[in-house]
């Protein structure tokens, strides 16, 4: 390796990679890793259940509350968290599991662009796969424009927060799917319903609050203002990504 | 990794005296524990430019040592420095070293050029595609096409991993069992490549659990077993130690009883056992057996069908180095 090209390479040796380049590289690599055909088809099929349900509801004389309960109970309780878990957890979790993380970790770059790049890749896939069918469900339910706008806003907040939290889970835990499902189904779906105190630690409480604030329909455990419902989950997402970066810098890599 | 008690250390004769080398890799009293399991125990050495082989049986701690040298895991005790920096915390030094990991992991959906280009981009190489083309040419994968690496043979995947490690023109190259899966021609070419890189002033550290590979890798050797450095020095010294140790040899012959008697008479063996077609002997002088067996068979007018050393493998070498038997 002594030709001109390699002399040029030597000049770059030891130079750190700028965060923007590290982020872009991680984003591209993780996006391609995540975007397997089987995964996308399965998760899209899951998300379309809400669309079908919305269409069915629209064929009846259901009121706004029925539409809100459908979107909240199916879209925000199951579809968005589960799809976010699959993509967010796998964003770094899969790289760690198949031992390819070393090809990104052992490079002269900061850790936070790895985490943020992986998070953005998960977000890129999760957003259209979940929001389009769930918003379509809100439209097809025929409950009015208030529900559609609420679904768009709360949906965006939810995918960002869930993807960030589950990216952290993928960094920190080997069985991120199990722990993620435990959070979604047991904590948010069961324990958080037990009282306002524990519900503060459930993303769903905040997204429900956004929907309630914009539609006026009364749902349990949804008593925050719209602004709180937006800001707190986004802050939680930022904290999760910061923790994931901190953790990634300190953990053992196979 | 092992939970066995620490072995006795049997070191090779020390290298020729000289000034203390300033290692491109310095490992200083390093230990690594996983819970109660000791993976690496109080290991110290320094490696300068050129090719060095790290020899050890599976589970000896080679990969753990390599992971610490790359900063992938911190030592529990002691310190590792690569090019004067801590690879765990110093971001810049990671651009000057490369690792070929033992595990057969690649981004399987990428083709070889894309895979190596990702590696180049990760190192901030100015023209990543050109660097990737050059690196692939070094491992003779220049014309491999656009087939995803997930469809490659084991040997081709190994070579892609080596290309990924070469793409940043590293000063320190750490290769964990890089010859696994390669055919003999590819092994020879790869070893020649390592020597070229070492001759250019790079520090090339190659692990193996196969003694014959190490024989061809280079003269500098570190031997690790049960997490401890049990020998270091010149390969030829290890070879001599092997040749001097007691060996067990199976000899196939048309008349085992007469051959055994003659070997005892000539004081060439220390123990023997017989069956209808073989003599199995213990000897302290394998060279003498080698020299005198054929003339002896000729004089006795018996036929030799096989001469096979039963413990000329790495495990027995380690057993001898560690336990003296």
């Amino acid at each position: 390796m002594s030709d001109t090209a390699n002399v040029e390479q030597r000049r770059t040796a030891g130079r750190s990679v700028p965060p923007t380049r590290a982020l872009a590289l991680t984003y591209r690599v993780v996006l391609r890793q995540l975007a397997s055909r089987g995964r996308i088809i399965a998760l899209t099929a899951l998300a379309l259940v809400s669309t079908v349900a919305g269409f069915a509801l629209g064929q009846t004389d259901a009121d706004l509350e029925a539409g809100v309960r459908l979107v909240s109970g199916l879209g925000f309780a199951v579809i968005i968290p589960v799809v976010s878990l699959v993509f967010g957890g796998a964003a770094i979790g899969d790289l760690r599991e198949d031992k390819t993380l070393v090809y990104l970790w052992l490079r002269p770059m900061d850790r936070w662009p790895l985490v943020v790049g992986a998070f953005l890749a998960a977000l890129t896939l999760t957003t259209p796969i979940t929001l389009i069918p769930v918003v379509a469900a809100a439209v097809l339910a025929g409950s009015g424009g208030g529900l559609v706008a609420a679904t768009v806003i709360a949906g965006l907040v939810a995918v960002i927060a869930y993807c960030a939290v589950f990216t952290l889970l993928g960094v920190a835990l080997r069985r991120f799917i199990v722990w993620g499902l435990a959070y979604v189904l047991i904590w948010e779906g069961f324990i958080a319903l037990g009282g306002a105190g524990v519900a503060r630690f459930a993303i769903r409480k905040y997204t429900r609050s956004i929907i309630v604030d914009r539609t006026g329909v009364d749902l349990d455990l949804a008593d925050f203002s719209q602004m709180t419902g937006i800001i707190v989950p986004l802050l939680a997402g930022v904290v999760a990504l910061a923790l994931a970066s901190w953790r990634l810098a300190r953990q053992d890599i196979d | 990794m092992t939970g066995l008690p620490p072995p006795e250390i049997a070191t090779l004769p020390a290298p020729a005296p000289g000034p203390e080398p300033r290692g491109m890799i310095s490992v200083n009293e390093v230990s690594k524990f996983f819970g109660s399991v000791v993976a690496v125990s109080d290991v110290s050495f320094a490696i300068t430019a050129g090719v060095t082989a790290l020899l050890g049986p599976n589970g000896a701690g080679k990969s753990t040592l390599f992971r610490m040298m790359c900063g992938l895991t911190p030592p529990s005790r002691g310190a590792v420095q690569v090019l004067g920096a801590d690879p765990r915390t110093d971001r810049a030094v990671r651009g000057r070293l490369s690792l070929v990991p033992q595990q057969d992991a690649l981004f399987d959906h990428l083709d070889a050029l894309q895979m190596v280009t990702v590696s180049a981009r990760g190192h901030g190489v100015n023209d990543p595609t050109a660097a990737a083309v050059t690196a692939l040419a070094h491992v003779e994968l220049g014309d491999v096409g656009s087939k995803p690496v997930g469809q490659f043979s084991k040997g081709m995947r190994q070579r892609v991993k080596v290309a990924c490690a070469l793409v940043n023109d590293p000063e320190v190259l750490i290769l964990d069992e890089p010859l696994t899966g390669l055919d003999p021609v590819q092994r020879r070419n790869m070893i020649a490549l390592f020597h070229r890189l070492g001759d250019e002033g790079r520090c090339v550290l190659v692990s193996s659990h196969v003694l014959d590979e190490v024989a061809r890798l280079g003269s500098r050797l570190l031997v690790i077993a049960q997490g401890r450095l049990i020998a270091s020095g010149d390969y030829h010294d290890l070879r001599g130690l092997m040749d001097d140790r007691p060996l067990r040899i199976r000899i196939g012959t048309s008349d085992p009883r007469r051959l055994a008697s003659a070997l005892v008479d000539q004081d060439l063996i220390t123990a023997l056992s017989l069956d209808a077609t073989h003599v199995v002997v213990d000897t302290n002088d394998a060279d003498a057996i080698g020299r005198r067996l054929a003339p002896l068979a000729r004089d006795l007018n018996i036929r030799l069908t096989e001469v096979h050393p039963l413990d000329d493998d790495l495990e027995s070498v380690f057993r001898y180095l560690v336990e003296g038997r």
Side-chain angles (χ1 to χ4, degrees):
Chain A
M1 299 186 80
S2 58
D3 53 17
T4 310
N6 289 326
V7 171
E8 182 59 29
Q9 285 173 39
R10 262 189 203 276
R11 263 183 228 147
T12 67
R15 194 169 68 184
S16 297
V17 178
T20 48
R21 281 197 201 173
L23 194 152
L25 174 67
T26 307
Y27 176 79
R28 283 198 300 269
V29 169
V30 173
L31 190 63
R32 289 196 64 171
Q33 285 281 91
L34 289 177
S36 72
R37 184 180 300 175
R39 192 182 263 163
I40 288 175
I41 289 172
L43 295 175
T44 302
L46 171 69
L48 284 172
V49 170
S50 65
T51 311
V52 172
F55 176 76
L57 189 66
Q59 303 308 302
T60 67
D61 291 332
D63 57 5
L64 176 61
E65 183 174 343
V68 167
R69 290 194 181 279
L70 168 72
V71 169
S72 174
L74 188 57
F76 286 85
V78 179
I79 290 167
I80 290 176
V82 169
V83 176
S84 300
L85 170 62
V86 172
F87 286 124
I92 286 181
D94 274 7
L95 300 184
R96 210 182 57 179
E97 288 294 309
D98 68 16
K99 300 183 192 304
T100 52
L101 183 57
V102 68
Y103 293 108
L104 295 173
W105 196 96
L106 193 55
R107 297 294 179 263
M109 52 177 69
D110 287 330
R111 300 303 172 217
W112 71 263
L114 300 186
V115 170
V116 174
F119 158 74
L120 290 176
L123 198 62
T124 300
L125 292 169
T126 304
T127 303
I129 286 177
T130 58
L131 285 198
I132 292 172
V134 173
V135 171
V139 172
L140 292 171
S143 303
L147 177 60
V148 175
T151 304
V152 170
I153 295 168
L156 282 171
V157 170
V159 291
I160 291 169
Y162 280 120
C163 279
V165 168
F166 293 141
T167 298
L168 168 62
L169 223 54
V171 170
L173 300 172
R174 292 207 178 272
R175 295 180 179 176
F176 57 85
I177 290 284
V178 174
W179 287 104
L181 283 175
Y183 172 77
V184 171
L185 301 178
I186 298 175
W187 183 266
E188 291 206 330
F190 183 68
I191 298 173
L193 299 179
V198 286
R200 288 176 188 278
F201 300 99
I203 293 169
R204 200 199 310 180
K205 176 180 172 74
Y206 297 91
T207 55
R208 283 161 73 100
S209 296
I210 296 170
I211 294 171
V212 165
D213 195 80
R214 292 194 69 91
T215 61
V217 172
D218 188 28
L219 293 176
D220 290 340
L221 298 172
D223 49 2
F224 288 130
S225 69
Q226 179 177 252
M227 197 52 67
T228 304
I230 293 172
I231 289 173
V232 172
L234 295 184
L235 274 179
V238 171
V239 170
L241 294 179
L243 282 174
S245 304
W246 179 86
R247 172 78 178 151
L248 187 63
R250 282 156 185 81
Q251 75 183 55
D252 285 7
I253 305 296
D254 289 330
Chain B
M1 288 189 290
T2 176
L4 294 173
E8 295 296 320
I9 301 175
T11 52
L12 292 170
E20 184 71 20
R22 178 181 167 79
M24 294 174 82
I25 300 174
S26 300
V27 175
N28 188 21
E29 297 177 357
V30 162
S31 298
K32 181 70 182 181
F33 314 119
F34 295 104
S36 61
V37 176
V38 181
V40 173
S41 176
D42 199 24
V43 169
S44 296
F45 58 82
I47 305 173
T48 53
V51 178
T52 302
L54 178 64
L55 179 65
N58 290 326
K62 302 188 298 294
S63 294
T64 303
L65 204 49
F66 277 9
R67 289 175 62 219
M68 287 190 283
M69 288 179 199
C70 295
L72 297 172
T73 187
S76 305
R77 277 210 301 255
V80 176
Q81 287 210 317
V82 175
L83 301 169
D86 179 354
R88 180 80 176 163
T89 56
D90 191 302
R91 188 176 52 187
V93 82
R94 291 199 293 265
R96 300 165 68 192
L97 71 86
S98 276
L99 167 72
V100 174
Q102 184 180 23
Q103 59 265 21
D104 183 31
L106 292 167
F107 297 125
D108 285 339
H109 56 280
L110 302 179
D111 65 36
L113 182 60
Q114 290 170 330
M115 178 73 214
V116 183
T117 303
V118 163
S119 192
R121 288 187 201 283
H123 279 291
V125 173
N126 278 344
D127 187 346
T129 306
V133 168
T134 306
L136 283 168
H138 279 293
V139 296
E140 298 167 62
L141 285 176
D143 56 353
V144 77
S146 58
K147 191 164 74 167
V149 295
Q151 297 174 17
F152 278 14
S153 67
K154 170 88 174 169
M156 291 171 78
R157 290 170 67 84
Q158 281 292 90
R159 287 187 283 160
V160 171
K161 282 158 58 181
V162 173
C164 287
L166 294 178
V167 78
N168 62 320
D169 201 17
E171 292 164 67
V172 173
L173 183 59
I174 296 172
L175 304 106
D176 198 353
E177 307 264 1
L179 303 178
T180 306
L182 301 184
D183 65 33
V185 174
Q186 291 166 356
R187 276 176 191 234
R188 194 180 60 223
N189 294 345
M190 198 63 82
I191 289 169
L193 173 63
F194 298 157
H195 282 295
R196 279 206 307 278
L197 295 167
D199 292 343
E200 289 172 5
R202 297 169 219 276
C203 176
V204 181
L205 179 58
V206 187
S207 77
S208 177
H209 64 277
V210 181
L211 198 58
D212 287 344
E213 280 180 7
V214 171
R216 287 181 285 165
L217 275 171
S219 61
R220 278 185 300 171
L221 187 65
L222 301 166
V223 184
I224 186 169
Q226 297 177 17
R228 299 195 70 174
L229 188 68
I230 58 167
S232 63
D234 190 276
Y235 169 75
H236 300 290
D237 293 334
L238 176 68
R239 188 72 237 184
L241 197 59
M242 282 179 58
D243 292 342
D244 292 342
R245 75 198 161 99
L247 268 182
R248 179 163 293 180
I249 302 170
R250 185 176 65 214
I251 304 168
T253 174
S254 56
D255 192 340
R257 194 165 295 277
R258 282 179 64 210
L259 179 62
S261 176
L263 289 170
V264 170
D265 288 346
Q266 298 210 10
D267 202 21
L268 288 172
I269 59 177
T270 57
L272 68 85
S273 62
L274 291 172
D275 64 22
T277 55
H278 291 88
V279 188
V280 176
V281 299
D282 288 359
T283 177
N284 288 323
D285 193 349
D287 278 350
I289 292 265
R291 283 195 311 272
R292 290 158 66 178
L293 185 60
L296 194 60
R298 187 192 57 212
D299 293 346
L300 295 171
N301 197 26
I302 60 177
R303 197 159 53 89
L304 296 177
T305 57
E306 178 191 32
V307 178
H308 181 68
L310 293 178
D311 53 4
D312 192 18
D313 57 18
L314 197 52
E315 292 297 333
S316 66
V317 174
F318 287 126
R319 197 165 56 242
Y320 179 67
L321 288 171
V322 173
E323 301 170 8
R325 64 179 174 84

